[in-house]
Amino acid sequence: DAGITQSPRHKVTETGTPVTLRCHQTENHRYMYWYRQDPGHGLRLIHYSYGVKDTDKGEVSDGYSVSRSKTEDFLLTLESATSSQTSVYFCAISDRGDSYEQYFGPGTRLTVT
Amino acid sequence: AQTVTQSQPEMSVQEAETVTLSCTYDTSENNYYLFWYKQPPSRQMILVIRQEAYKQQNATENRFSVNFQKAAKSFSLKISDSQLGDTAMYFCAFMKYGTSYGKLTFGQGTILTVHP
């Protein structure tokens, strides 16, 4: 299994509070991704990174920001959590960024009350 | 933008039988990759099979095979000799070839239940 961990694994927070999810990899892969999974929508890309300090938006980036200050860590921040951001969040990594398999972390279940 | 559609929210099959999951996609790209991912109750995402659009031959991985129809933009997954461990949600996914940074577009998923 690829060395990807996500923390926390579960979190309950209140509307309006900031939340940061962490993805940590030990594979030294260049590309990292954040997805959210919701019923009826599958997984949707939030943000991705193609190198340290190189990030870009995905299809559902509103209300989220990311940072990558070192290869192994990719942080996802909900600036002011809303109930619509209740979801399961997955981090993924890839060494090539095209055609190749993405390895997924175990997911973080976030509930915003 | 690409879209991926899985029109079967749920499917069921008896153990040892064969089942086919459907996937259609819409794109203006000529070169791309298609994937099937499996998500068992553990929630872990697992790559099942991958198809390059420029290859006419359908991909096969043990009991899993695809029927790739490029003109029809169809990419179905066939599971032969179904096993209880195949019970999972299955996602079809699209990736544009080249400078896409590996971004995946997923379908809505199909829940497959294998009955003993």
Side-chain angles (χ1 to χ4, degrees), chain A residues 56-81:
Chain A
D56 205 348
K57 297 178 180 180
E59 62 178 304
V60 289
S61 60
D62 287 349
Y64 301 94
S65 62
V66 291
S67 66
R68 190 167 178 203
S69 60
K70 45 187 178 177
T71 299
E72 58 266 36
D73 288 327
F74 192 32
L75 304 181
L76 176 71
T77 297
L78 288 64
E79 294 139 11
S80 176

Side-chain angles (χ1 to χ4, degrees), chain A residues 24-84:
Chain A
H24 178 78
Q25 60 146 328
T26 58
E27 305 296 323
N28 201 35
H29 283 356
R30 177 182 175 189
Y31 298 88
M32 299 186 75
Y33 311 85
W34 277 108
Y35 295 90
R36 60 178 288 175
Q37 182 178 6
D38 304 289
H41 292 278
L43 279 76
R44 292 177 292 174
L45 182 65
I46 305 170
H47 280 279
Y48 63 99
S49 170
Y50 46 96
V52 173
K53 296 193 169 129
D54 292 323
T55 65
D56 205 348
K57 297 178 180 180
E59 62 178 304
V60 289
S61 60
D62 287 349
Y64 301 94
S65 62
V66 291
S67 66
R68 190 167 178 203
S69 60
K70 45 187 178 177
T71 299
E72 58 266 36
D73 288 327
F74 192 32
L75 304 181
L76 176 71
T77 297
L78 288 64
E79 294 139 11
S80 176
T82 67
S83 58
S84 65

Side-chain angles (χ1 to χ4, degrees), chain A residues 31 33 94 96-100, chain B residues 33 50 95-102:
Chain A
Y31 298 88
Y33 311 85
S94 172
R96 280 284 303 271
D98 64 331
S99 88
Y100 278 68
Chain B
Y33 302 93
R50 183 186 72 173
M95 181 189 293
K96 189 171 68 171
Y97 176 83
T99 57
S100 70
Y101 300 105

